[in-house]
Amino acid sequence: MTKSPPPEPRLSATILLLRNAVPQPEVLMVKRHYEIDFAAGALVFPGGKAAPADASSDWDDWTDGDFGPVQQDARIAAIREAYEESGLLIARHCSARGPGATLVGAEIAEKLSPHRSAVDRGEMSFLALMQEHDLVLALDSLVHFGHWITPVMMPKRFDTHFYLAPAPEWQIAAHDGRETTDAVWLSANDALAQEVDGRATIIFPTRMNLIKLARAASVEDAVRDFGAEPVISVLPEVGKSPDGEPCLYIPAEAGYGQTMELLSRVNV
């Protein structure tokens, strides 16, 4: 009997929105709804699958930065998902566009917040919403931070790009109540501690990226240092630990400080 090929992974994007705090910068995390079919109840970064509209060439005039098809699509998806799930909008006024230009503030974010649900359900075009309000997505403010591909044995697979970005000043994050049930700011170490003591469920890629983020002492450090590092794709491979337990292996050059994770610790 011929073995079926593994399903093709779907392009996805996740964003680590950062703000400065003491003693470590904080990242916005949302809690997945318990009825969601992937990572139900887990503490994650805002994100999700890229939509067909994210790949529209019509976005070319409504984005800052030149990243090519896959990176542009993924960055648009990351910003759209952040808007849908948290209400934070990484965009600029058309009149003030360009690298390093100021992001929109709380007034615009609050004005567009009532449309989050309609964009999420596909009843409203995210692009049309930006055009209506003369805004461009600040794709250039995102730093490529990680790239994870779901193992081949999984029935649902994702090709996920992780980005980090300074959170827009003065905007207030709020969960959407549909896909997410909470939105919290945590340092990377605090989030990891919540998993250790059972207060939170954190899936393997999220945990690894929190461990990586914990190296940064400030938002500025994170943007500078991680922006200068190459991103190595991670496709975990099933194997056995030295003790014979089932595990996943990831490449050492990906920079996560570990290369093996027991399957018993992998929450999906």
Side-chain angles (χ1 to χ4, degrees), residues 22 34 68 72 104 108 164 180 187 199 202 205 221 229 232 264:
V22 178
Y34 285 97
Q72 175 162 305
V104 297
I108 293 294
L164 60 79
T180 61
S187 72
R199 286 178 290 157
I202 298 178
D221 284 349
E229 293 182 3
I232 305 299
S264 59

Side-chain angles (χ1 to χ4, degrees), residues 145-233:
F145 184 68
H147 180 213
W148 284 66
I149 304 170
T150 309
V152 296
M153 80 288 193
M154 299 298 293
K156 289 187 177 181
R157 303 186 65 217
F158 303 96
D159 180 350
T160 305
H161 291 272
F162 288 77
Y163 301 97
L164 60 79
E169 289 190 49
W170 311 117
Q171 294 188 32
I172 298 173
H175 65 277
D176 64 5
R178 191 180 79 83
E179 290 190 62
T180 61
T181 60
D182 200 4
V184 293
W185 292 95
L186 297 166
S187 72
N189 284 332
D190 283 344
L192 293 166
Q194 287 196 18
E195 186 197 25
V196 169
D197 65 22
R199 286 178 290 157
T201 297
I202 298 178
I203 62 176
F204 181 40
T206 304
R207 185 187 317 126
M208 291 297 96
N209 281 292
L210 283 168
I211 290 171
K212 182 177 176 181
L213 177 63
R215 290 161 32 196
S218 69
V219 174
E220 294 74 20
D221 284 349
V223 170
R224 182 190 66 243
D225 296 344
F226 294 124
E229 293 182 3
V231 171
I232 305 299
S233 298

Side-chain angles (χ1 to χ4, degrees), residues 22-213:
V22 178
Q24 283 187 308
E26 294 176 331
V27 61
L28 179 66
M29 302 194 75
V30 294
K31 190 171 184 179
R32 298 274 286 176
H33 197 284
Y34 285 97
E35 295 180 356
I36 295 291
D37 62 353
F38 176 74
L43 205 57
V44 299
F45 313 119
K49 298 184 292 292
D54 297 333
S56 171
S57 60
D58 292 339
W59 273 110
D60 293 350
D61 294 331
W62 297 90
T63 53
D64 273 347
D66 183 10
F67 298 98
V70 173
Q71 277 297 307
Q72 175 162 305
D73 301 355
R75 287 166 186 257
I76 291 170
I79 292 177
R80 176 182 52 76
E81 288 284 343
Y83 164 70
E84 292 172 4
E85 295 187 359
S86 74
L88 299 186
L89 180 61
I90 304 176
R92 301 181 177 114
H93 293 285
C94 287
S95 58
R97 66 184 301 173
T102 302
L103 301 180
V104 297
E107 182 179 355
I108 293 294
E110 290 172 8
K111 184 177 181 179
L112 270 59
S113 184
H115 303 298
R116 290 165 57 187
S117 181
V119 172
D120 179 28
R121 296 194 302 267
E123 299 169 358
M124 175 180 287
S125 163
F126 189 42
L127 173 59
L129 186 63
M130 296 300 101
Q131 292 171 330
E132 179 184 349
H133 294 275
D134 291 320
L135 302 174
V136 294
L137 301 188
L139 305 188
D140 58 331
S141 68
L142 275 59
V143 171
H144 199 199
F145 184 68
H147 180 213
W148 284 66
I149 304 170
T150 309
V152 296
M153 80 288 193
M154 299 298 293
K156 289 187 177 181
R157 303 186 65 217
F158 303 96
D159 180 350
T160 305
H161 291 272
F162 288 77
Y163 301 97
L164 60 79
E169 289 190 49
W170 311 117
Q171 294 188 32
I172 298 173
H175 65 277
D176 64 5
R178 191 180 79 83
E179 290 190 62
T180 61
T181 60
D182 200 4
V184 293
W185 292 95
L186 297 166
S187 72
N189 284 332
D190 283 344
L192 293 166
Q194 287 196 18
E195 186 197 25
V196 169
D197 65 22
R199 286 178 290 157
T201 297
I202 298 178
I203 62 176
F204 181 40
T206 304
R207 185 187 317 126
M208 291 297 96
N209 281 292
L210 283 168
I211 290 171
K212 182 177 176 181
L213 177 63

Side-chain angles (χ1 to χ4, degrees), residues 250-265:
I250 64 174
E253 57 269 26
Y256 288 101
Q258 74 178 70
T259 59
M260 183 193 76
E261 181 78 348
L262 296 178
L263 279 178
S264 59
R265 288 204 68 210

